[in-house]
Amino acid sequence: MKTITMIIALCFCMPVLSQNYKFGKVSKEELQEKFYPLDSSASAAYLHKYRRTFIKYRQEQGWYMETEVRERIKIYNKEGFEYATKQIDLHVSDNEEEEVSGLKAYTYNLVNGKVEDEKLDKQSVYETEKSKFRNQVKFTMPNIKAGSVVELKYNVISPFYWYVDDFLFQHDIPVKNLYAKFESPEYFNFKINTKGYLLLKPVYSKERGTVQFTIKSRGTGVSNSGTKFGRSELSFVINTTTFELKDIPALKDEPYVNNINNYRSTIEYELSYTNFPQSPLKYYSTTWEDVVKTIYKSSNFGKELDRKGYFESEIDALTANTSSAMEKAALVYNFVKSHVTWNGYYGKFADLGVKKAFQTKSGNVADINLMLTAMLRYVGLNANPVLISTRHNGVPLFPTIDGYNYVITAIESPQGNILLDATNQYGTPNVLPVRALNWEGRIVRKDESTSTIGLYPKSKSQNSVSMMVNLDNNGALEGNIRSIKSSHSAMSYRKKYLETNQDQFLEDLENKFEGIQIDAFKVKNDKDFSKPVMESFKFLMESQADVINDKIYFSPLFFLRSKENPFKLEKREFPVDFSYPISKKYMVIINLPEGYKVESVPEPAAMMLPDNLGVFKYNLQAQGKKIQIIVEEEINQAIISPIYYEALKAYFSKLVEKESEQIVLTKA
């Protein structure tokens, strides 16, 4: 038998790793601990976190990957109870799937000075199908109290030895001790990709592995007939990477972060190639061009773009009276939005298929946007799908099919690209839902060529508010307000307004402004997406000014002013993500109460962020019985680098301070 056959039949044993703690040996000191010493705000903490991932061979199965997980978690208060629920995601592909084995879990409590444990009941462990590509095992630990310690261990057996789940080193809660190890035989070569701001110091080593394999042969001749079995051993090198860390701080979410997981300290392993003795190298790493070709050739992607028989007659009738390419594009886009409803599922591959989605009037993201692309091509436009990783999915760091989970449509023209997503019925050209605004997408053309395409809009989302009010001598306001919203502001408003009954919408609006009484409420262009949406109403509000002796004090923006700086940290390591450029403008005219005159008003002010990233303007004029104030706030880029954080924090601090300054009236 050839050596290559023996190698394929190998079965090796991995050394057992020692741990700094023993499973099940929870101490009284751990149970008595009232708060995490290095972060008293932590609701829970990992006391010990252990992971070991290694590749093995099973004769009846072949190569597979196994991951051992051990965790001990301290629950400090009720806010930490969520960490007593565990979700284990398992990959599924074709007829193969990952599975959990050896699950054991206990809750420990200190009762009358004694450590008591309660075992997780297997009846409380549930496995569900989350999608065609993922199952999930979920359980919640029993008898959780403030002060409990929970401990669990399990193994994940995976047939996908080329796919290593990310090693996560930083979590939403602190980690006291962490041990992680990755082991691969010398026949497997992995690339390592690192992200996050935590300093990692891997220790690389080589260990000796012994392979035992069975050789089967058939004898010849009368005396040697029959099958014979022999055993042999093969020594090889195991390449190991070990991480040991202590006192890892929690990764806390901050305002205006795209996806906090993009900045979580993580190691990603990508199988580059395999190199077995007496066998050619087999490459697994790919370029983005390879990824695009693989996706395009899928029957659930490229072939769906070629289908057109199911829509020809309706699209012909729809576009019969126009020869303008852009008018046809608008008709087709609006037709798909109104004809097919998104079922809430993401995906770069069609699920039902475009024809069935068209017939049932429902489908996933790919069903809808591949259909849109095919229709736009049919009416003569240069339309192509664009692969996207949503905000929730993170930013793909290296070429991989799994890096993308969403698809939209792009019309390429000499005047520029027009991005469309027909899953959002309130969207307009180049106004994508926020879930899809995630750095760059990758356009996939008919000839299978590819290039990146920016997803963040360059035009500002505008919100212009005009308000005319009468202030009485008791500090109450009555007046009229009108707002005009465009782009993403309009899309967000329409979704909330059209999907909520008006009574509830008005109640929410009154609660937002804390005590406002609304009358004569009107909305225009709520269903005409080609125009900005306009909202207007009359209102009455009590106690909007402080009346003290003979003077009245009030902020001229009243309930419209910014009250809090969202940026409070001393420093920030993550980019600030506003999702899209923003422009706000407030124009307020105030009619003064009888018998009062202006004593003092805030001074005009203007601020600019560095490199034209933003601007704030504050102008106020007082003439007779009227005061007019105009305030402009602009953020000119969707993403702002953390190098500008101090300037951005100071900008918002000054903005809040300025909008809080008061006008003083005194009796005439």
Side-chain angles (χ1 to χ4, degrees), residues 521-563:
F521 179 81
K522 294 180 182 178
V523 176
K524 293 182 179 180
N525 304 328
D526 54 324
K527 295 181 180 177
D528 185 352
F529 298 168
S530 66
K531 299 177 182 178
V533 64
M534 299 173 62
E535 175 191 71
S536 63
F537 55 87
K538 295 180 180 179
F539 68 90
L540 175 66
M541 289 191 81
E542 304 287 343
S543 304
Q544 288 303 292
D546 295 322
V547 181
I548 303 175
N549 297 325
D550 292 337
K551 296 185 179 182
I552 299 177
Y553 304 82
F554 60 93
S555 165
L557 283 183
F558 300 105
F559 53 87
L560 297 176
R561 68 183 176 89
S562 300
K563 297 179 181 179

Side-chain angles (χ1 to χ4, degrees), residues 186-312:
E186 61 183 286
Y187 314 120
F188 299 85
N189 184 278
F190 286 87
K191 292 181 182 177
I192 298 177
N193 299 280
T194 305
K195 66 179 181 181
Y197 298 96
L198 193 67
L199 179 62
L200 301 177
K201 296 181 179 180
V203 176
Y204 300 101
S205 64
K206 296 183 182 295
E207 299 176 358
R208 180 178 177 273
T210 301
V211 178
Q212 293 186 346
F213 52 88
T214 301
I215 302 174
K216 181 172 68 173
S217 61
R218 182 174 295 277
T220 58
V222 175
S223 60
N224 293 320
S225 61
T227 301
K228 294 184 177 180
F229 296 89
R231 297 183 65 81
S232 184
E233 287 188 351
L234 177 68
S235 294
F236 63 96
V237 174
I238 301 172
N239 296 308
T240 72
T241 309
T242 304
F243 300 88
E244 290 191 72
L245 293 91
K246 292 182 179 296
D247 301 327
I248 304 171
L251 181 67
K252 297 180 180 180
D253 211 346
E254 300 176 21
Y256 300 105
V257 172
N258 175 318
N259 179 347
I260 194 67
N261 288 325
N262 290 332
Y263 313 106
R264 195 178 301 281
S265 184
T266 306
I267 295 289
E268 297 176 344
Y269 286 92
E270 177 197 8
L271 183 58
S272 177
Y273 61 84
T274 56
N275 184 17
F276 294 108
Q278 299 184 10
S279 296
L281 270 68
K282 182 177 180 180
Y283 288 95
Y284 288 81
S285 290
T286 58
T287 63
W288 282 119
E289 288 73 18
D290 293 329
V291 168
V292 166
K293 288 178 181 178
T294 299
I295 292 173
Y296 201 91
K297 288 176 181 178
S298 168
S299 60
N300 295 323
F301 194 94
K303 288 186 178 179
E304 297 289 352
L305 293 169
D306 296 331
R307 303 181 192 278
K308 57 184 179 179
Y310 64 95
F311 65 69
E312 285 178 313

Side-chain angles (χ1 to χ4, degrees), residues 360-558:
T360 61
K361 299 186 178 182
S362 176
N364 76 347
V365 166
D367 288 323
I368 293 172
N369 285 327
L370 293 179
M371 179 193 304
L372 173 63
T373 306
M375 290 180 178
L376 291 171
R377 287 179 175 180
Y378 178 73
V379 298
L381 289 152
N382 181 19
N384 294 296
V386 178
L387 296 167
I388 283 177
S389 175
T390 60
R391 286 173 169 249
H392 177 75
N393 198 52
V395 178
L397 297 179
F398 55 84
T400 168
I401 291 176
D402 294 324
Y404 294 117
N405 67 329
Y406 201 95
V407 62
I408 62 170
T409 301
I411 299 174
E412 294 187 271
S413 72
Q415 291 74 38
N417 297 319
I418 300 172
L419 303 182
L420 304 170
D421 184 350
T423 67
N424 185 354
Q425 57 181 307
Y426 310 111
T428 52
N430 285 329
V431 180
L432 300 175
V434 173
R435 61 178 174 266
L437 300 180
N438 192 30
W439 298 95
E440 293 181 328
R442 183 163 290 276
I443 195 163
V444 184
R445 301 183 181 89
K446 291 181 182 179
D447 61 3
E448 298 178 6
S449 65
T450 181
S451 60
T452 57
I453 185 169
L455 299 173
Y456 290 107
K458 293 181 172 58
S459 60
K460 296 185 184 73
S461 171
Q462 297 184 336
N463 183 19
S464 178
V465 180
S466 301
M467 185 167 72
M468 181 176 288
V469 299
N470 298 317
L471 177 66
D472 71 16
N473 55 13
N474 293 315
L477 284 183
E478 65 172 349
N480 302 282
I481 190 167
R482 185 182 72 165
S483 66
I484 302 174
K485 298 175 172 62
S486 68
S487 190
H488 280 88
S489 292
M491 179 178 68
S492 177
Y493 182 90
R494 286 185 171 109
K495 177 176 175 59
K496 185 174 182 180
Y497 176 70
L498 293 172
E499 293 183 3
T500 308
N501 69 66
Q502 186 159 313
D503 288 342
Q504 183 62 53
F505 186 86
L506 290 178
E507 184 180 336
D508 292 343
L509 190 59
E510 289 178 340
N511 290 334
K512 175 183 176 183
F513 293 131
E514 299 178 357
I516 194 171
Q517 299 176 41
I518 294 176
D519 190 24
F521 179 81
K522 294 180 182 178
V523 176
K524 293 182 179 180
N525 304 328
D526 54 324
K527 295 181 180 177
D528 185 352
F529 298 168
S530 66
K531 299 177 182 178
V533 64
M534 299 173 62
E535 175 191 71
S536 63
F537 55 87
K538 295 180 180 179
F539 68 90
L540 175 66
M541 289 191 81
E542 304 287 343
S543 304
Q544 288 303 292
D546 295 322
V547 181
I548 303 175
N549 297 325
D550 292 337
K551 296 185 179 182
I552 299 177
Y553 304 82
F554 60 93
S555 165
L557 283 183
F558 300 105

